[in-house]
């Protein structure tokens, strides 16, 4: 019948009809509206820790399979080199200083569940927009963007206030304090100073009392009593928070309710995986967003016995291989429910690997491949260049590699547009819709400039000169490595953003990343004819960018960062906070 009809058509029309019938299958799937989204975000994973990015000592077959079946980005950039600001940018599509989620001080992340800072309620996350579009939205795993503002139960910064229908996980982040057998990690240097100060004050008090008793010094007992009370109050003032980090910060929540305080780390991985698969199964008949925000591969590297000692890279490698297995389990659940072709899967890390994280000879942080620097370093590539992989069978061409500047902030407009929503028009959105680039409809990223901050301090700027393909990067500030030449700040534990620990460059250090991705050979006016032209053009871009910034409340200020007892989430009667509501659930090896 088709042949009979077409026999009367002109040859050109017939050719067009057959051309449409023979189109590649991914163009047909492009008519899918409101796909499901599964977003994997690793914690502290270095770009050099993944097989498809060059690692040959850590096995990541499931992440590698995503790259083989989808699109791999080789210049995927985090908006910040630390957890809290990077995740704020990821969820809002905006540089974190626009929402007050970057710091002017050394408190560069949320420090306590009982702090008052967090993602402001006037920020619109992509989850909130998808929720309005009829999506079921779930966050499983790490949050680290605040909990309360004024009272223990106002939950003003909680995931459920930012567009998620369901939350299971840690409102804070993993730290070694969560594992009783590990050396405390949180504010370690500051804690040492507090202990030393306590001992000095206590020794002074004891010396004064003995001197008074032996008659060596003349001092009133009232004065000694005041000194003793001061010593006790000083000790209580800091030990009431730092002495109970495991109880205050290492908690698990389901929606607004606390399920474990402190968390039982032996079963955390199984519970997070079980919750993720359950969310997919519950919502398979309607569009859903699952944001699986891994606790892997942050210290203390919680790893189940099944994976311990299995990698060639110690405990860190074991932990990454377990995370890869979890990715595979979620992908299997998607396949089982026949959702593979209607689900966009994304995998990334929130920032680069933590080079300085060591215990003795054990390296507990990640590897950033050929890229200089790491976690906490706002300018160097190792702190901000991360894995970035998309898979959507039939829509995105498999086995594609894109070497164009992209950002974690790009997820925001990409997801919103695919869901049929619209990005807010009343604020600056720094992310760009990636779908045309991912599908090959355009050759270049929409990003001409990317600004690399360390806290609120601008450390570097990237210029993608599209007509030549050059990627210039100017460093205005760089951290001083310690010991010198070590490639990280091992003496400090973190590289600072300002002060005596950084060097200001005038003129800026300039690199051409397409020729020198390791940032090993800085250019100068003597070696690069375009040096002055490039520096001037980047300088103008900085001025234009700064004109788009507006003052906002500092969410990571000292007053917001400190521990406040009245804001402490508690499953009992404060300060007796303890519960294990998962205790009746059997530990399941999924």
């Amino acid at each position: 019948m088709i042949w009979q009809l077409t026999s009367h058509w002109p040859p050109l029309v017939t050719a067009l009809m057959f051309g449409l019938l023979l189109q590649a299958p991914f163009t047909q799937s492009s008519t899918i509206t409101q796909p499901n989204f599964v977003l994997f975000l690793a914690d502290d994973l270095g770009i050099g820790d993944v097989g498809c990015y060059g690692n040959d000592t850590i096995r990541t077959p499931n992440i590698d399979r995503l790259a083989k079946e989808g699109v791999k980005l080789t210049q995927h950039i985090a908006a910040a080199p630390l957890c809290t600001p990077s995740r704020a940018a990821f969820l809002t599509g905006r540089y974190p200083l626009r929402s007050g989620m970057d710091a002017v001080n050394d408190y560069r992340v949320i420090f306590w569940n009982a702090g008052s800072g967090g993602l402001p309620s006037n920020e619109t996350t992509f989850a909130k927009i998808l929720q309005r579009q009829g999506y079921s939205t779930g966050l499983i795993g790490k949050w680290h963007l605040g909990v309360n503002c004024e009272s223990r139960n106002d939950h003003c910064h909680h995931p459920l206030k930012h567009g998620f229908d369901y939350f299971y996980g840690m409102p804070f982040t993993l730290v070694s304090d969560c594992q009783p057998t590990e050396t405390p990690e949180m504010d370690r240097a500051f804690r040492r100073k507090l202990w030393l100060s306590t001992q000095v004050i206590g020794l002074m008090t004891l010396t004064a009392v003995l001197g008074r008793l032996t008659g060596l010094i003349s001092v009133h007992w009232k004065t000694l009593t005041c000194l003793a009370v001061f010593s006790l109050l000083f000790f209580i003032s800091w030990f009431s928070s730092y002495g109970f980090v495991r109880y205050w910060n290492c908690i698990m929540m389901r929606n607004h309710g606390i399920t474990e305080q402190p968390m039982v780390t032996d079963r955390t991985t199984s519970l997070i995986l079980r919750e993720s698969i359950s969310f997919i199964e519950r919502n398979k008949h309607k569009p859903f967003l699952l944001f699986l925000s891994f606790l892997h591969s942050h210290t203390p590297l919680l790893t189940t016995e099944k994976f311990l000692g299995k990698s060639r890279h110690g405990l860190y490698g074991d932990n990454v291989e377990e995370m890869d297995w979890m990715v595979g389990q979620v992908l299997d659940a998607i396949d089982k429910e026949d959702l593979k072709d209607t689900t966009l899967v994304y995998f990334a890390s929130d920032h680069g690997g933590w080079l300085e994280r060591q215990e003795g000879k054990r390296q507990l942080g990640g590897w950033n491949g050929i890229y200089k620097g790491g976690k906490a370093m706002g300018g160097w590539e190792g702190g901000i260049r991360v894995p970035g992989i998309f898979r959507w069978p039939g829509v995105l061409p498999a086995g594609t590699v894109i070497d164009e500047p992209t950002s974690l902030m790009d997820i925001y407009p990409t997801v919103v547009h695919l869901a049929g929503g619209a990005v807010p028009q009343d604020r600056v959105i720094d992310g760009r819709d990636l779908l045309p680039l991912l599908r090959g409809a355009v050759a270049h990223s929409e990003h001409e400039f990317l600004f690399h901050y360390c806290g609120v301090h601008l450390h570097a700027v990237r210029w993608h000169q599209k007509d030549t393909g050059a990627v210039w990067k100017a460093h205005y500030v760089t951290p001083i490595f310690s010991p010198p030449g070590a490639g990280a700040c091992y003496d400090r534990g973190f590289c600072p953003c300002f002060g005596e620990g950084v060097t200001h460059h005038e003129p800026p250090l300039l690199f051409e990343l397409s020729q020198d991705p390791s940032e090993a050979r800085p250019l100068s006016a003597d070696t690069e004819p375009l040096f002055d032209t490039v520096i001037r053009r980047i300088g103008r871009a900085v001025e234009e960018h700064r004109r788009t910034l507006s003052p906002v409340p500092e969410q990571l200020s000292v007053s917001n960062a400190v521990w406040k007892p009245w804001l402490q989430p508690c499953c009992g009667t404060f300060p007796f906070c303890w519960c294990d509501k998962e205790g009746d659930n059997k530990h399941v090896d999924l």
Side-chain angles (χ1 to χ4, degrees), residues 118-176:
L119 190 62
S121 58
N122 62 352
E123 288 295 323
T124 303
T125 66
F126 59 71
K128 190 173 289 186
I129 297 177
L130 265 62
Q131 195 178 50
R132 295 169 186 162
Q133 295 299 117
Y135 274 72
S136 293
T137 56
L139 167 59
I140 312 295
K142 170 175 172 172
W143 175 238
H144 207 192
L145 293 172
V147 183
N148 298 313
C149 290
E150 297 178 353
S151 68
R152 183 167 292 124
N153 296 310
D154 65 29
H155 299 122
C156 66
H157 301 307
H158 190 278
L160 268 59
K161 285 289 180 71
H162 284 290
F164 291 100
D165 301 317
Y166 184 76
F167 169 62
Y168 178 80
M170 287 191 76
F172 191 60
T173 181
L174 267 183
V175 287
S176 291

Coordinates of all heavy atoms in Angstrom, one line a residue, residues 118-176:
G118 N 22.9 28.3 55.9 CA 22.5 27.3 55.0 C 21.9 27.9 53.7 O 21.9 29.1 53.5
L119 N 21.5 27.0 52.8 CA 20.9 27.5 51.5 C 19.7 28.3 51.8 O 18.7 27.8 52.3 CB 20.6 26.3 50.7 CG 20.3 26.5 49.2 CD1 21.5 27.2 48.5 CD2 19.9 25.3 48.5
P120 N 19.7 29.6 51.4 CA 18.6 30.5 51.7 C 17.3 30.0 51.1 O 17.2 29.4 50.0 CB 19.0 31.8 51.1 CG 20.5 31.7 51.0 CD 20.8 30.3 50.7
S121 N 16.2 30.3 51.7 CA 14.8 29.9 51.3 C 14.4 30.6 50.0 O 13.6 30.1 49.3 CB 13.8 30.1 52.4 OG 13.8 31.5 52.7
N122 N 15.1 31.7 49.7 CA 14.7 32.4 48.4 C 15.4 31.9 47.2 O 15.3 32.4 46.1 CB 14.9 33.9 48.6 CG 16.3 34.3 48.8 OD1 17.2 33.4 49.0 ND2 16.6 35.6 48.8
E123 N 16.3 30.9 47.4 CA 17.0 30.3 46.3 C 16.0 29.2 45.7 O 15.4 28.4 46.4 CB 18.3 29.6 46.7 CG 19.4 30.7 46.9 CD 19.8 31.5 45.7 OE1 19.8 30.9 44.6 OE2 20.0 32.7 45.8
T124 N 16.0 29.1 44.4 CA 15.1 28.1 43.7 C 16.0 27.0 43.1 O 16.7 27.2 42.1 CB 14.3 28.8 42.6 OG1 13.5 29.9 43.1 CG2 13.4 27.8 41.9
T125 N 15.9 25.8 43.7 CA 16.7 24.7 43.2 C 16.0 24.1 42.0 O 14.8 24.3 41.8 CB 16.9 23.6 44.3 OG1 15.6 23.1 44.6 CG2 17.5 24.2 45.6
F126 N 16.8 23.3 41.2 CA 16.1 22.6 40.1 C 15.1 21.6 40.6 O 14.1 21.3 40.0 CB 17.1 22.0 39.2 CG 18.1 20.9 39.8 CD1 17.6 19.7 40.2 CD2 19.4 21.2 39.9 CE1 18.5 18.7 40.7 CE2 20.3 20.3 40.4 CZ 19.8 19.0 40.8
A127 N 15.3 21.1 41.8 CA 14.3 20.1 42.4 C 13.0 20.8 42.6 O 11.9 20.2 42.4 CB 14.9 19.6 43.7
K128 N 13.0 22.1 43.1 CA 11.8 22.8 43.3 C 11.0 23.0 42.0 O 9.8 22.9 42.0 CB 12.1 24.2 44.0 CG 10.9 24.9 44.5 CD 11.3 26.1 45.3 CE 11.9 25.8 46.6 NZ 12.2 27.0 47.5
I129 N 11.7 23.3 40.9 CA 11.1 23.5 39.6 C 10.5 22.2 39.1 O 9.3 22.1 38.6 CB 12.0 24.1 38.6 CG1 12.5 25.5 39.1 CG2 11.4 24.2 37.2 CD1 13.5 26.2 38.2
L130 N 11.2 21.1 39.3 CA 10.7 19.8 38.8 C 9.5 19.4 39.7 O 8.6 18.7 39.1 CB 11.9 18.8 38.9 CG 12.6 18.5 37.6 CD1 13.3 19.8 37.1 CD2 13.6 17.4 37.7
Q131 N 9.6 19.7 40.9 CA 8.4 19.4 41.8 C 7.2 20.0 41.2 O 6.1 19.4 41.2 CB 8.7 19.9 43.2 CG 7.9 19.3 44.3 CD 8.3 19.8 45.7 OE1 8.5 21.0 45.9 NE2 8.5 18.9 46.6
R132 N 7.3 21.3 40.8 CA 6.2 22.0 40.2 C 5.7 21.4 38.9 O 4.5 21.5 38.5 CB 6.5 23.5 40.0 CG 6.8 24.3 41.3 CD 7.4 25.6 41.0 NE 7.8 26.3 42.2 CZ 8.6 27.4 42.1 NH1 9.2 27.8 41.0 NH2 9.0 28.0 43.3
Q133 N 6.6 20.7 38.2 CA 6.3 20.1 36.9 C 5.7 18.7 37.1 O 5.5 18.0 36.1 CB 7.6 20.0 36.1 CG 8.1 21.4 35.6 CD 7.1 22.2 34.8 OE1 6.7 23.3 35.2 NE2 6.7 21.6 33.7
G134 N 5.5 18.3 38.3 CA 4.8 17.0 38.6 C 5.8 15.9 38.9 O 5.4 14.7 38.9
Y135 N 7.0 16.2 39.1 CA 8.0 15.1 39.3 C 8.0 14.7 40.8 O 7.7 15.5 41.7 CB 9.4 15.6 39.0 CG 9.9 15.5 37.6 CD1 9.4 16.3 36.6 CD2 10.8 14.5 37.2 CE1 9.8 16.2 35.3 CE2 11.3 14.4 35.9 CZ 10.7 15.2 35.0 OH 11.1 15.1 33.7
S136 N 8.3 13.4 41.0 CA 8.6 13.0 42.4 C 10.1 13.2 42.6 O 10.9 12.8 41.7 CB 8.3 11.5 42.6 OG 6.9 11.2 42.5
T137 N 10.5 13.9 43.6 CA 11.9 14.3 43.8 C 12.4 13.7 45.1 O 11.8 13.9 46.2 CB 12.0 15.8 43.8 OG1 11.1 16.3 44.9 CG2 11.5 16.4 42.5
G138 N 13.6 13.1 45.0 CA 14.2 12.4 46.2 C 15.6 12.7 46.3 O 16.4 12.7 45.2
L139 N 16.1 13.0 47.5 CA 17.5 13.1 47.7 C 17.9 12.0 48.7 O 17.4 11.9 49.8 CB 17.8 14.5 48.4 CG 19.2 14.7 49.0 CD1 20.3 14.5 48.0 CD2 19.3 16.1 49.6
I140 N 18.9 11.2 48.3 CA 19.4 10.1 49.2 C 20.9 10.4 49.4 O 21.6 10.5 48.4 CB 19.2 8.7 48.5 CG1 17.8 8.6 48.0 CG2 19.6 7.6 49.5 CD1 16.7 8.5 49.0
G141 N 21.3 10.5 50.6 CA 22.7 10.6 50.9 C 23.0 12.0 51.6 O 22.4 12.4 52.5
K142 N 24.1 12.6 51.1 CA 24.6 13.8 51.8 C 23.9 15.1 51.4 O 23.6 15.3 50.2 CB 26.1 13.9 51.4 CG 26.8 15.2 51.8 CD 28.2 15.2 51.5 CE 28.9 16.5 51.8 NZ 30.4 16.5 51.7
W143 N 23.7 16.0 52.3 CA 23.1 17.3 52.1 C 24.1 18.4 52.3 O 24.6 19.0 51.3 CB 21.9 17.5 53.0 CG 21.2 18.9 52.9 CD1 21.0 19.7 54.0 CD2 20.6 19.5 51.8 NE1 20.3 20.9 53.6 CE2 20.1 20.7 52.2 CE3 20.4 19.1 50.5 CZ2 19.4 21.6 51.4 CZ3 19.7 20.0 49.6 CH2 19.2 21.2 50.1
H144 N 24.5 18.7 53.5 CA 25.6 19.6 53.9 C 25.3 21.1 53.5 O 26.2 21.8 53.1 CB 26.9 19.1 53.3 CG 28.1 19.6 54.1 ND1 29.4 19.6 53.7 CD2 28.1 20.2 55.3 CE1 30.2 20.0 54.6 NE2 29.5 20.5 55.6
L145 N 24.0 21.4 53.5 CA 23.6 22.8 53.1 C 22.7 23.4 54.2 O 21.9 24.3 54.0 CB 22.9 22.8 51.8 CG 23.7 22.4 50.6 CD1 22.9 22.3 49.3 CD2 24.8 23.5 50.4
G146 N 22.9 22.9 55.5 CA 22.2 23.5 56.6 C 20.9 22.8 57.0 O 20.3 22.0 56.2
V147 N 20.4 23.1 58.2 CA 19.2 22.4 58.6 C 18.2 23.5 59.2 O 17.1 23.7 58.6 CB 19.4 21.4 59.7 CG1 18.1 20.7 60.2 CG2 20.4 20.3 59.3
N148 N 18.6 24.2 60.3 CA 17.6 25.1 61.0 C 18.1 26.5 61.0 O 19.3 26.8 60.7 CB 17.4 24.6 62.4 CG 16.8 23.3 62.5 OD1 15.9 23.0 61.8 ND2 17.4 22.4 63.3
C149 N 17.2 27.4 61.3 CA 17.6 28.9 61.3 C 17.4 29.4 62.7 O 18.4 30.0 63.3 CB 16.6 29.7 60.4 SG 16.9 29.5 58.6
E150 N 16.3 29.3 63.3 CA 16.0 29.9 64.6 C 15.6 28.9 65.7 O 15.7 29.3 66.9 CB 14.9 31.0 64.4 CG 15.3 32.1 63.5 CD 14.2 33.1 63.3 OE1 13.1 32.9 63.8 OE2 14.5 34.2 62.7
S151 N 15.1 27.8 65.3 CA 14.6 26.8 66.4 C 15.0 25.4 65.9 O 15.3 25.2 64.7 CB 13.1 26.9 66.6 OG 12.4 26.5 65.5
R152 N 14.9 24.5 66.8 CA 15.4 23.1 66.5 C 14.6 22.4 65.4 O 15.1 21.5 64.8 CB 15.3 22.3 67.8 CG 15.8 20.9 67.7 CD 16.0 20.3 69.1 NE 17.1 20.9 69.8 CZ 17.0 21.5 71.0 NH1 15.9 21.5 71.6 NH2 18.1 22.0 71.5
N153 N 13.3 22.9 65.2 CA 12.5 22.2 64.3 C 11.9 23.0 63.2 O 10.9 22.7 62.6 CB 11.3 21.5 65.1 CG 11.8 20.4 66.0 OD1 12.5 19.6 65.7 ND2 11.3 20.5 67.3
D154 N 12.6 24.2 62.9 CA 12.0 25.0 61.8 C 12.5 24.5 60.4 O 11.8 24.8 59.4 CB 12.4 26.5 62.0 CG 13.9 26.8 61.9 OD1 14.6 26.1 61.2 OD2 14.3 27.8 62.5
H155 N 13.6 23.7 60.4 CA 14.0 23.1 59.1 C 14.0 24.0 57.9 O 13.7 23.6 56.8 CB 13.1 21.9 58.8 CG 13.1 20.8 59.9 ND1 11.9 20.4 60.6 CD2 14.1 20.1 60.4 CE1 12.2 19.5 61.4 NE2 13.5 19.3 61.4
C156 N 14.4 25.2 58.2 CA 14.4 26.2 57.1 C 15.3 26.0 55.9 O 15.1 26.4 54.8 CB 14.7 27.6 57.7 SG 16.4 27.8 58.3
H157 N 16.4 25.2 56.2 CA 17.4 24.9 55.2 C 17.3 23.4 54.7 O 18.1 23.0 53.9 CB 18.8 25.1 55.7 CG 19.1 26.5 56.1 ND1 18.9 27.6 55.3 CD2 19.6 27.0 57.3 CE1 19.2 28.7 56.0 NE2 19.7 28.4 57.2
H158 N 16.4 22.7 55.2 CA 16.3 21.3 55.0 C 15.9 21.0 53.6 O 15.3 21.8 52.9 CB 15.2 20.7 56.0 CG 15.1 19.3 56.0 ND1 14.4 18.5 55.1 CD2 15.6 18.4 57.0 CE1 14.5 17.2 55.4 NE2 15.2 17.1 56.6
P159 N 16.3 19.8 53.1 CA 16.0 19.4 51.7 C 14.5 19.5 51.3 O 14.2 19.9 50.2 CB 16.5 18.0 51.6 CG 17.6 17.9 52.6 CD 17.2 18.8 53.7
L160 N 13.6 19.2 52.3 CA 12.2 19.3 52.0 C 11.7 20.7 51.8 O 10.6 20.9 51.2 CB 11.4 18.6 53.1 CG 11.1 17.1 52.9 CD1 12.4 16.3 52.8 CD2 10.3 16.6 54.1
K161 N 12.5 21.7 52.2 CA 12.2 23.1 51.9 C 12.7 23.5 50.6 O 12.5 24.7 50.2 CB 12.7 24.0 53.1 CG 12.0 23.9 54.4 CD 10.6 24.6 54.3 CE 9.8 24.5 55.6 NZ 10.4 25.3 56.6
H162 N 13.5 22.7 50.0 CA 14.2 23.1 48.7 C 13.8 22.2 47.5 O 14.6 21.9 46.6 CB 15.7 23.1 48.9 CG 16.2 24.3 49.6 ND1 16.1 25.6 49.1 CD2 16.7 24.4 50.9 CE1 16.6 26.4 50.0 NE2 16.9 25.8 51.1
G163 N 12.6 21.7 47.6 CA 12.0 21.0 46.4 C 12.1 19.5 46.4 O 11.6 18.8 45.5
F164 N 12.6 18.9 47.5 CA 12.6 17.4 47.6 C 11.4 16.9 48.3 O 11.2 17.3 49.5 CB 13.9 16.9 48.2 CG 15.1 17.2 47.3 CD1 16.0 18.3 47.6 CD2 15.4 16.3 46.2 CE1 17.1 18.5 46.7 CE2 16.5 16.6 45.4 CZ 17.3 17.7 45.7
D165 N 10.7 15.9 47.7 CA 9.6 15.3 48.4 C 10.0 14.3 49.5 O 9.3 14.1 50.4 CB 8.7 14.5 47.4 CG 8.2 15.4 46.3 OD1 7.7 16.5 46.6 OD2 8.2 14.9 45.1
Y166 N 11.2 13.7 49.2 CA 11.7 12.7 50.1 C 13.2 12.9 50.4 O 14.0 13.2 49.4 CB 11.5 11.3 49.5 CG 11.8 10.2 50.4 CD1 11.0 9.8 51.5 CD2 13.0 9.4 50.2 CE1 11.4 8.7 52.3 CE2 13.4 8.4 51.0 CZ 12.5 8.0 52.1 OH 12.9 7.0 52.9
F167 N 13.6 12.7 51.6 CA 15.0 12.8 52.0 C 15.4 11.6 52.9 O 14.7 11.4 53.9 CB 15.3 14.1 52.6 CG 16.7 14.2 53.3 CD1 17.9 14.0 52.5 CD2 16.9 14.4 54.6 CE1 19.1 14.1 53.1 CE2 18.1 14.4 55.2 CZ 19.3 14.3 54.4
Y168 N 16.4 11.0 52.6 CA 17.0 10.0 53.5 C 18.5 10.2 53.4 O 19.1 10.0 52.3 CB 16.7 8.6 53.2 CG 17.3 7.6 54.1 CD1 16.8 7.4 55.4 CD2 18.5 7.0 53.8 CE1 17.4 6.5 56.3 CE2 19.2 6.1 54.7 CZ 18.6 5.9 56.0 OH 19.2 5.1 56.9
G169 N 19.2 10.4 54.6 CA 20.6 10.5 54.6 C 21.2 11.4 55.7 O 20.5 11.6 56.7
M170 N 22.3 12.0 55.4 CA 23.0 12.8 56.4 C 22.7 14.3 56.1 O 23.0 14.8 55.0 CB 24.5 12.6 56.3 CG 25.0 11.3 56.9 SD 26.8 11.3 57.1 CE 27.0 12.4 58.6
P171 N 22.2 15.0 57.0 CA 22.1 16.5 56.8 C 23.4 17.2 56.8 O 23.6 18.3 56.3 CB 21.2 16.9 58.0 CG 21.4 15.9 59.0 CD 21.6 14.6 58.3
F172 N 24.4 16.5 57.4 CA 25.8 17.1 57.4 C 26.6 16.3 56.4 O 26.2 16.1 55.3 CB 26.3 16.9 58.9 CG 27.6 17.6 59.1 CD1 27.6 19.0 59.0 CD2 28.7 17.0 59.5 CE1 28.8 19.7 59.3 CE2 29.9 17.6 59.8 CZ 30.0 19.0 59.7
T173 N 27.8 16.0 56.7 CA 28.8 15.3 55.9 C 29.5 14.3 56.7 O 29.7 14.4 57.9 CB 29.7 16.2 55.2 OG1 30.6 15.5 54.3 CG2 30.6 17.0 56.2
L174 N 30.1 13.3 56.1 CA 30.9 12.3 56.8 C 32.2 13.0 57.2 O 32.8 13.8 56.5 CB 31.3 11.2 55.9 CG 30.4 9.9 55.9 CD1 31.0 8.8 55.0 CD2 30.3 9.4 57.4
V175 N 32.6 12.8 58.5 CA 33.9 13.2 59.0 C 34.4 12.0 59.8 O 33.7 11.1 60.2 CB 33.9 14.4 59.8 CG1 33.6 15.7 59.0 CG2 32.8 14.3 60.9
S176 N 35.7 12.0 60.0 CA 36.3 10.8 60.7 C 35.8 10.7 62.1 O 35.8 9.6 62.7 CB 37.9 10.9 60.7 OG 38.4 10.7 59.4

